[in-house]
mmCIF file of all heavy atoms in Angstrom:
data_model
loop_
_atom_site.group_PDB
_atom_site.id
_atom_site.type_symbol
_atom_site.label_atom_id
_atom_site.label_comp_id
_atom_site.label_asym_id
_atom_site.label_seq_id
_atom_site.Cartn_x
_atom_site.Cartn_y
_atom_site.Cartn_z
ATOM 1 N N TRP B 398 -47.492 -17.074 -1.480
ATOM 2 C CA TRP B 398 -46.417 -18.033 -1.748
ATOM 3 C C TRP B 398 -46.734 -18.900 -2.935
ATOM 4 O O TRP B 398 -45.849 -19.532 -3.490
ATOM 5 C CB TRP B 398 -46.151 -18.861 -0.525
ATOM 6 C CG TRP B 398 -45.470 -18.146 0.572
ATOM 7 C CD1 TRP B 398 -45.141 -16.822 0.637
ATOM 8 C CD2 TRP B 398 -45.057 -18.655 1.838
ATOM 9 N NE1 TRP B 398 -44.548 -16.501 1.836
ATOM 10 C CE2 TRP B 398 -44.508 -17.607 2.557
ATOM 11 C CE3 TRP B 398 -45.096 -19.921 2.373
ATOM 12 C CZ2 TRP B 398 -43.944 -17.805 3.854
ATOM 13 C CZ3 TRP B 398 -44.590 -20.091 3.630
ATOM 14 C CH2 TRP B 398 -43.998 -19.080 4.341
ATOM 15 N N TRP B 403 -51.183 -17.534 -14.646
ATOM 16 C CA TRP B 403 -51.332 -16.316 -15.446
ATOM 17 C C TRP B 403 -52.440 -16.491 -16.459
ATOM 18 O O TRP B 403 -52.678 -17.603 -16.984
ATOM 19 C CB TRP B 403 -50.023 -16.012 -16.193
ATOM 20 C CG TRP B 403 -48.807 -16.026 -15.328
ATOM 21 C CD1 TRP B 403 -47.693 -16.751 -15.576
ATOM 22 C CD2 TRP B 403 -48.555 -15.290 -14.125
ATOM 23 N NE1 TRP B 403 -46.751 -16.501 -14.605
ATOM 24 C CE2 TRP B 403 -47.281 -15.666 -13.700
ATOM 25 C CE3 TRP B 403 -49.303 -14.413 -13.377
ATOM 26 C CZ2 TRP B 403 -46.722 -15.118 -12.566
ATOM 27 C CZ3 TRP B 403 -48.762 -13.904 -12.230
ATOM 28 C CH2 TRP B 403 -47.429 -14.250 -11.827
ATOM 29 N N GLY B 439 -40.640 -2.953 -22.693
ATOM 30 C CA GLY B 439 -42.083 -3.318 -22.750
ATOM 31 C C GLY B 439 -42.373 -4.406 -23.784
ATOM 32 O O GLY B 439 -41.483 -5.190 -24.167
ATOM 33 N N ALA B 473 -43.900 7.534 -40.978
ATOM 34 C CA ALA B 473 -43.924 6.044 -41.192
ATOM 35 C C ALA B 473 -45.342 5.515 -40.925
ATOM 36 O O ALA B 473 -45.756 4.597 -41.635
ATOM 37 C CB ALA B 473 -42.885 5.370 -40.342
ATOM 38 N N VAL B 474 -46.050 6.066 -39.944
ATOM 39 C CA VAL B 474 -47.389 5.643 -39.678
ATOM 40 C C VAL B 474 -48.263 5.902 -40.883
ATOM 41 O O VAL B 474 -49.038 5.057 -41.332
ATOM 42 C CB VAL B 474 -48.000 6.382 -38.437
ATOM 43 C CG1 VAL B 474 -49.515 6.249 -38.357
ATOM 44 C CG2 VAL B 474 -47.332 5.851 -37.129
ATOM 45 N N ASP B 484 -44.792 5.681 -27.499
ATOM 46 C CA ASP B 484 -45.132 6.186 -26.186
ATOM 47 C C ASP B 484 -43.966 6.920 -25.536
ATOM 48 O O ASP B 484 -43.112 6.330 -24.997
ATOM 49 C CB ASP B 484 -45.599 5.006 -25.293
ATOM 50 C CG ASP B 484 -46.171 5.446 -23.956
ATOM 51 O OD1 ASP B 484 -46.143 6.686 -23.703
ATOM 52 O OD2 ASP B 484 -46.617 4.648 -23.204
ATOM 53 N N LEU B 503 -30.919 -5.805 -31.872
ATOM 54 C CA LEU B 503 -31.812 -6.590 -32.716
ATOM 55 C C LEU B 503 -31.064 -7.004 -33.962
ATOM 56 O O LEU B 503 -30.509 -6.193 -34.679
ATOM 57 C CB LEU B 503 -33.070 -5.820 -33.064
ATOM 58 C CG LEU B 503 -34.133 -6.543 -33.906
ATOM 59 C CD1 LEU B 503 -34.701 -7.701 -33.049
ATOM 60 C CD2 LEU B 503 -35.230 -5.600 -34.354
ATOM 61 N N LYS B 509 -30.827 0.059 -42.628
ATOM 62 C CA LYS B 509 -29.737 0.854 -43.091
ATOM 63 C C LYS B 509 -29.307 1.875 -42.037
ATOM 64 O O LYS B 509 -28.116 2.094 -41.805
ATOM 65 C CB LYS B 509 -30.135 1.569 -44.368
ATOM 66 C CG LYS B 509 -29.006 2.340 -45.013
ATOM 67 C CD LYS B 509 -29.445 2.921 -46.344
ATOM 68 C CE LYS B 509 -28.303 3.720 -46.948
ATOM 69 N NZ LYS B 509 -28.712 4.318 -48.275
ATOM 70 N N LEU B 514 -32.148 -1.511 -29.968
ATOM 71 C CA LEU B 514 -31.559 -2.235 -28.747
ATOM 72 C C LEU B 514 -32.740 -2.633 -27.842
ATOM 73 O O LEU B 514 -33.851 -2.041 -27.888
ATOM 74 C CB LEU B 514 -30.591 -1.315 -28.014
ATOM 75 C CG LEU B 514 -29.430 -0.776 -28.814
ATOM 76 C CD1 LEU B 514 -28.600 0.173 -27.984
ATOM 77 C CD2 LEU B 514 -28.545 -1.898 -29.337
ATOM 78 N N ILE B 527 -41.426 -4.661 -11.720
ATOM 79 C CA ILE B 527 -41.683 -3.343 -11.100
ATOM 80 C C ILE B 527 -43.091 -2.859 -11.460
ATOM 81 O O ILE B 527 -43.819 -2.346 -10.592
ATOM 82 C CB ILE B 527 -40.627 -2.308 -11.514
ATOM 83 C CG1 ILE B 527 -39.239 -2.730 -10.873
ATOM 84 C CG2 ILE B 527 -40.986 -0.926 -11.104
ATOM 85 C CD1 ILE B 527 -38.071 -2.012 -11.424
ATOM 86 N N ASP B 531 -51.097 -7.709 -15.188
ATOM 87 C CA ASP B 531 -51.283 -9.093 -15.701
ATOM 88 C C ASP B 531 -50.418 -9.416 -16.892
ATOM 89 O O ASP B 531 -49.792 -10.458 -16.976
ATOM 90 C CB ASP B 531 -52.752 -9.321 -16.121
ATOM 91 C CG ASP B 531 -53.648 -9.607 -14.913
ATOM 92 O OD1 ASP B 531 -53.094 -9.856 -13.832
ATOM 93 O OD2 ASP B 531 -54.927 -9.526 -15.115
ATOM 94 N N ASP B 536 -45.572 -12.031 -19.508
ATOM 95 C CA ASP B 536 -44.286 -11.859 -20.203
ATOM 96 C C ASP B 536 -43.186 -12.481 -19.432
ATOM 97 O O ASP B 536 -42.287 -13.117 -20.017
ATOM 98 C CB ASP B 536 -44.006 -10.347 -20.379
ATOM 99 C CG ASP B 536 -44.937 -9.718 -21.469
ATOM 100 O OD1 ASP B 536 -45.539 -10.491 -22.251
ATOM 101 O OD2 ASP B 536 -44.992 -8.460 -21.474
#
Side-chain angles (χ1 to χ4, degrees):
W398 288 2
W403 311 127
V474 165
D484 187 358
L503 183 66
K509 185 175 180 181
L514 303 175
I527 292 168
D531 283 346
D536 288 344

